[in-house]
């Protein structure tokens, strides 16, 4: 089954930082989850941790 997993760090209108995760089957709508942070450093730490976990499970960048 072909799947995708995408993450992005973006600024919100209120000055916070948001880490957005999207995943699912290719061709399907999929799911999304957002994590809000006051500091960009916290978002980057979670991003790197999630990236490490996904690479251990076989996900690779395209």
């Amino acid at each position: 089954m072909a799947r995708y997993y995408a993450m992005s760090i973006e600024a919100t209108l209120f000055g916070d930082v948001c880490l957005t995760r999207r995943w699912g089957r290719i061709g399907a709508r999929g799911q999304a989850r957002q994590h809000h942070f006051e500091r960009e450093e916290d978002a980057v730490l979670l991003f790197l941790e999630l990236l490490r976990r996904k690479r251990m499970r076989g996900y690779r960048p395209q």
Side-chain angles (χ1 to χ4, degrees):
M1 178 182 330
R3 299 180 184 194
Y4 70 92
Y5 190 86
M7 294 188 294
S8 64
I9 297 176
E10 304 165 353
T12 65
L13 294 175
F14 303 108
D16 292 339
V17 177
C18 181
L19 169 62
T20 304
R21 306 183 323 178
R22 293 180 184 89
W23 68 92
R25 277 178 90 168
I26 293 177
R29 180 177 171 158
Q31 299 180 32
R33 181 158 188 201
Q34 295 183 335
H35 303 271
H36 296 274
F37 300 94
E38 291 182 10
R39 297 178 348 157
E40 186 176 0
E41 294 83 14
D42 296 334
V44 171
L45 288 175
L46 180 58
F47 182 97
L48 293 174
E49 175 61 24
L50 292 169
L51 180 65
R52 184 186 65 80
R53 287 183 195 173
K54 292 300 174 183
R55 286 201 171 159
M56 287 177 60
R57 297 195 67 191
Y59 285 83
R60 295 288 175 233
Q62 280 200 353

